[in-house]
Structures are given as C-alpha cells and as structure tokens.
Amino acid sequence: MAWIAKNSAGTQIERREQPYLTDELKAKFEAEVLPRYPTRLAATLPVLHELQHRYHYIPYQAIEEAAAFLGVAPAQVLDTASFYEEFWLEPKGKYLIMVCQSLSCELLGHGSLLEKIKSKLGIAPGQTTPDGRFTLMTAECLGSCGTAPCALVNETLYENISVDNFDRVLDSLQ
Amino acid sequence: MALSEPVLVKRIPTPPWGDPADRKYVGYDHFTATGGYAGLKKSLGMAPKAVVDVVKDAELRGRGGAGFPAGMKWSFLPPEDGGRRFLTVNADESEPGTFKDRLLLDFDPHLLLEGIAISMHACRLDTAYIYIRGEYHHQAKTLQKAIDEAYAHKIFGPDSILGLINNFWPQCYVHRGAGAYICGEETGLLESLEGKRGWPRIKPPFPAVAGAFARPTIINNVETLAMVGPIMERGAAWFKSMGKGRSEGVPPTAPASFGPKLFGVSGHVQRPGVYEEELGIKLSTLIDKYCGGMRPGSKFKAAIPGGISMGVLGPDQWDAELDFDIGKKYSCLGLGTAGVIVMDQHTDMVAVARNIARFFAHESCGQCTPCREGTGWMYKILSRIEAGGGTLDDLDLLLELSGSMGALPGTTICGLADGANWAVRTILNKFWAEFEARVSQRRSKVSLAAAGGR
Ligand SMILES: Cc1cc2nc3c(=O)[nH]c(=O)nc-3n(C[C@H](O)[C@H](O)[C@H](O)COP(=O)(O)O)c2cc1C
Ligand code: SF4
Ligand code: FES
C-alpha cells in the first residue's frame, strides 16, 4: 500500500565505504538527466531507477547520497522512494517474479498459476527463496490483459502463461 | 456502422485488415512513407490558434478515461508570458483491463510523436514529458528509439522544424513511473514528474494554469494525441464522419462521440486483443465480429466497458452501444478507456467485486480518509462475503460506503474513489440476487438502512 509510512528516524542504516552514487554516475546524471528538468528534485525518479538497476535495490545509504546530489533532504528522497511499488528498499532475490492478480488475469487462471509457483518454490508472495534466487510477488495489472494471465520476471514480460510453460521458464532461470 | 479503413492501426496489422502476427515496429522511414508527419507539416503552415480550432471543431474527446474535449482543454491555457509551458503525455495506463496505449507504443510510436509535436506547436509548449508506467520496460525503450529518430530528423531538438518555442528548442523526453496507478491521475502524475510521491493535487488551480513546475501544462492521453495527426491531415469533417455523433436529446454544445477508438478486449472471448472501431459500436458486434465470439461453452454474463473503475454492464446489456454517453443510458460510470473485460456465466460476481475492491484499496494514495478507509473496508467486507461470513447488513453497508466516497459526492480529492464506488455499486445493484444468495439473511436489530444510513 502506497501510503504506508517509513521507518522511524532512529533506524540504524547499514553503511559501506565506497559510495553507491559513484562519480561516474553523478557525471552521467549531470550530463544526461538534469538538463531535462527545471528542478533537481525532478531527477529523483530517474536517479532511483538507475540506482535500483545497478544494485537491484536502493540501500538507505544510496538514498542519502542521492539526496545530497539532488540538494534535498534525505527524508524527501525516502518519502518518494517508499511511495512507489517498484522501488525496493530491501535486497531481493536475483529474479523478481511479479504475478498479475488483477481482474482479467484472475478470470483466466492467475490463481492456479500462483499456486503452482508457490508450491514449486516453496515460498509465499513477499518471500525470497533461501538460495536468494527468486522473490515472489503479486502485482496489479501489468497492461497485458489481452494476453492474460501474465507475469513479469525482472524486466521481461511473460504472456499467455500456462502452468506448464511457466514451469519450464522457472527451471531455465539460474 | 463500421469503420471503413483503419486510422490509428493503419500501420499496425489488426483484424479485419491484417494479422497481428505481422506486427512490427514502424520506424521513421516507414512512417513518413505511409503519410506520417503530413499532419504536422500541414499544422506548421498554420497559425497555432488555427490548429487548436481544428481540434476543437473535430470535437476530439480525451481517450484517457474522462472524455474531456481536447480542443477545449487546449484553449484553457493562459496567454503566453515568455516563460516555459509543458506537455505531459499520460502513458501510465495502469487500470485493469486497459492495454490499448501499449499497442501504439509498441508498434507505431511516431503516431504519438506526431501528435505531440502538433500540440506543442498549437499550444506553444516547449517541452514534452511522456510519463510511462514503470512496468512498460520494453515500451520505454521502443519509445526512446522513435524519439531518437525524431530528433535526428529535426522534429525535436536544436534546429527543430517547430522553431523556437518560448525561446527553447522543443524537447521530448521519456519519464518513467515506478508502479503506482495513482500517477495516471493527472495531478498525481505531475507530482510524480516533479520527483515527489504521486499525491493528486486539489484543483483549482487546473494544470492548464499551474501544472508541472507551477507552469501552464497540458496533459493528454497517448491515444488522444495519436489521433491529432490524422485529424490535422484530413480535417475535422472527416473525423466527424465517423462515430456515433451526438446522441438524441444531447444539446449541440455538449460533447459527443465522434471518430474511431481503440477497444482493448480481454476476458472470456475467443480472441482478446486491441481493435479499432467507431465510437458507438455495439458490445455484441465487438465480441462477435472482432473477438470471434465468446469462448467455447461460454455465454455472456457481464462486461466492464472500460477499465474496472467504470462499473459493469449486465446480461441484458449485451447490445450496449459503446460511446461516451454510455453511463446514463446503462447505469454505469462511463466508457472510460474502452478496455472491455468480458465475463461468462461461470463468473462469480462476488469474487469480481472483491478483486476490484482489492485493486483500489491497494492503489489508494491515502490522502483522503473516505478513500483510504473506504476502499480498505470495501475489500474487507467483500472478502468476508466471499468467504461466506457476510450478512444482509453488509450489502447495505457497501451501498452506503460507495455512495459516500468520491470526488463526485465531494468527499475526496481525486476520482480514484469514484471508480472504486461505481465498480462495487453497479456490480451489487445489477447482481443483487447473487450477493443475497451468498450472505446469511440475518440482520442486526438496527439495520443501517432502517437507521437512515443511506
Ligand atoms: C485514478 C485515476 C487514474 C487515471 N489513470 C489514467 C491513465 O493511466 N492514463 C490516462 O491516460 N489517464 C488516466 N486518468 C485520467 C487522467 O486524469 C486525465 O483525465 C487524462 O490523462 C487526460 O487525458 P485525455 O483528456 O487525453 O484523456 C486517470 C484518472 C484517475 C482519476
Ligand atoms: S481519492 Fe483516494 S487516490 Fe485520490 S487523492 Fe484521495 S486518497 Fe488519494
Ligand atoms: S489484469 Fe493482468 S495484465 Fe491486466
């Protein structure tokens, strides 16, 4: 739920020596992203997308670095990051499986698909397999209702899924 | 009534004119060789105001769900003051049942870019941001490829054929969302574009006056803008020769239903997909002629006309004419995005209502109490009914709840809550017996209805 609030101010965050927002990334943003917008704040989503693309989630330290780079308070960036479903503030599995559960997909059998994935991977939506390979999530409409049921695995959309063919897809993801 | 030639899907093979298996990306060369950018060239020879007038004359209504006349929206812009003005293109397309814009983004993005360039010329907008939903990874890449081609051919960028606008060379950028349905609401979109959470704004001021970065801004849907090029090329009269036109009894000043429209059909039909037809096509024709009828063994029970926020059409509305005025005629909210979801006789309407309520509870941005709490409770109550634990009182409570939340009753900032309440209310009203059969007939001593609850 988009409106659930963030951690308290007392939360300890994990830190590492080298920055997430490297000088190379900063230079890239300065050259390619910031000139597009009249404010630096507007680059928040593009910056968060890039960080997530690199690190597969957005660590709190990276949020602080992004805030310093954008010239806003860390709370501002955290506020934005925590609002959007696609931004992950915790590490997740190598493959993120998002199974659509909205109406067209439910009508055409998302239920049995989800059951099959759950039993195959031994996890419920919201969980990650112990080997860190898969994280399972349910999603709302992926804009593929005409080819329901469907699921997004990282950035690849699978359409017209049958339980069997998706089984093979999962096996092929190492 | 039937569309005699494809317009939006002219270059995208679509039945009955082509086979979807033959679809491929239409690049700049293919686009221009088949008449693309002719509407832009013509517009550039006209004064900006004259272009707005053509779109106004065509009575083009917004294809993003609300059906607001595009030409009228464009004319709400204040006079130029030398400062910047923006176009934001709504490619957020996140409402269940809606997947029509994706077709254009996947295969013919230049049709959108042509509309963007024309509206930038007509409305004096210097920068366009295409706000595309985060899950459309592939579409964002395709769009960027088309934009790069357009820059190379000086549609946008330095020395653009549009000339300087507000002292800037016109620019067109892709801006990716990150998985929030509410960012499709136009002011939620603006907040998100500015780098904040997508909380819709209280209006007024309307975006035309103070939109993105507090500057005058036009927001249009992908399909709306894609329609502008063909209109400019062939004229308002051509556009108005298609569609249902003005329904009987509608005053000449009220917006009508002209032109072709993309219908995205999903659910229990043989061939789901996006089809183009005139506004006013019958639901039955859409299903039988384009979708190959219902699935084997399926009989029509209900359909959602356009994105789940619009409510349902019942079994007796099989022949409903799908135009913008559908709401009053068939007791639903409206045509919406024309993302039609078809359901057969085996469909459990309680489960449908529960699924829809969950969507809205999940996507409510949480600013307005009636929406945040109302959608959550709707979902809980419907889950309880589905699980067999509901009572008759619950049905009254659902009706009371749905009558009290939304921008139309005036208790919320945006229309998300209206979508939730129309969906649930129309399903409940049209399939009351099915709900009644599922709940225990028990009533508490003081029923809500008796206590004047609704
Ligand atoms: C909750 C909500 C979600 C919306 N989502 C979309 C969307 O995904 N795409 C869209 O084009 N319009 C969406 N709209 C409608 C927009 O607010 C706006 O009316 C539309 O983009 C204007 O463009 P048009 O006039 O060209 O249709 C949504 C509205 C609401 C209330
Ligand atoms: S109606 Fe709902 S979604 Fe819209 S602003 Fe209010 S809480 Fe947010
Ligand atoms: S309902 Fe699953 S993709 Fe739209």
Side-chain angles (χ1 to χ4, degrees), chain A residues 100-106 140-146 148-150, chain B residues 95-99:
Chain A
C100 174
Q101 59 174 355
S102 290
L103 189 56
S104 303
C105 287
E106 179 168 325
E140 297 296 347
C141 185
L142 296 171
S144 182
C145 327
C150 62
Chain B
E95 185 159 317
T98 311
F99 53 103

Side-chain angles (χ1 to χ4, degrees), chain B residues 10-52:
Chain B
K10 180 173 155 184
R11 301 172 190 87
I12 308 173
T14 299
W17 299 285
D19 181 351
D22 298 334
R23 285 175 183 169
K24 52 183 189 305
Y25 169 77
V26 176
Y28 180 87
D29 294 334
H30 179 178
F31 186 70
T32 41
T34 47
Y37 289 119
L40 173 63
K41 301 262 155 66
K42 193 164 151 194
S43 306
L44 292 179
M46 297 164 62
K49 172 142 188 329
V51 178
V52 176

Side-chain angles (χ1 to χ4, degrees), chain B residues 182 200 363-368 371-372 412-417:
Chain B
I182 195 56
E363 299 296 337
S364 167
C365 83
Q367 276 190 97
C368 321
C371 171
R372 182 187 64 242
T412 65
I413 294 173
C414 92
L416 181 138

